[in-house]
Amino acid sequence: TASGGISSSGNLTAENVRLPGGGIISFDNSLDGSDQFILGTDSYITIDGDDFINLNADTNIKVNSPKIMVGASTTPTNTLEVAGNISSSGDIRTLGGITASGDISASTLRLGEAVILGDNKAIKWGAQPLIFGDTANNILTIDGDDTVWVKADNVISTYRYTWYNEN
């Protein structure tokens, strides 16, 4: 049993270390929490790396929580909630859908099956809607301003007319 400060110029080895709620492990010359520290209470742990926290593992880093927030200051409503941009230098893969309230930008878009647009939505090149679907009236509009080119090696067919390549 000791009271007051304990000082050591060597290593400290202990089987268990217990700090009272609100106790701080400090990595500076003071215990005022002004630099890097680990603080713990009965319901949370704060790791303050001042400028940077580096987590290294030989195999995996596991985070186990029903909800995770990154950069947000409120309680997350989704399993993973990120405030700000998400960037990837590799593929982003999902077993479910991707939903966006803004634009999705890509230099190449590869689709495995179908493009499904909602009612009265259009495919645009630039600002002009060129292919527009009106499912309520069963109308597909292709708008090319002055000219619409449709090219086929052999047959172009519509409900009433068929054109053949005579070459």
Side-chain angles (χ1 to χ4, degrees), residues 40-159:
T41 70
D42 288 341
S43 60
Y44 67 88
I45 293 176
T46 298
I47 301 174
D48 186 327
D50 207 15
D51 295 325
F52 192 77
I53 295 175
N54 190 9
L55 300 175
N56 289 321
D58 289 339
T59 307
N60 294 302
I61 294 176
K62 180 180 180 182
V63 177
N64 187 6
S65 175
K67 293 184 180 177
I68 298 171
M69 62 182 175
V70 178
S73 60
T74 60
T75 303
T77 56
N78 297 293
T79 303
L80 174 62
E81 200 158 300
V82 178
N85 296 333
I86 298 175
S87 176
S88 171
S89 61
D91 295 341
I92 297 176
R93 299 174 187 264
T94 177
L95 297 176
I98 295 176
T99 302
S101 59
D103 294 341
I104 296 176
S105 176
S107 58
T108 301
L109 180 60
R110 292 187 179 98
L111 303 171
E113 293 187 21
V115 175
I116 300 172
L117 299 176
D119 289 342
N120 301 313
K121 300 298 179 187
I123 296 176
K124 299 179 179 184
W125 278 264
Q128 179 66 33
L130 297 179
I131 301 175
F132 181 81
D134 179 356
T135 57
N137 296 305
N138 290 322
I139 298 172
L140 175 66
T141 302
I142 301 175
D143 183 357
D145 286 337
D146 298 328
T147 305
V148 173
W149 288 85
V150 179
K151 182 180 179 185
D153 289 340
N154 295 309
V155 177
I156 296 173
S157 181
T158 65
Y159 176 70

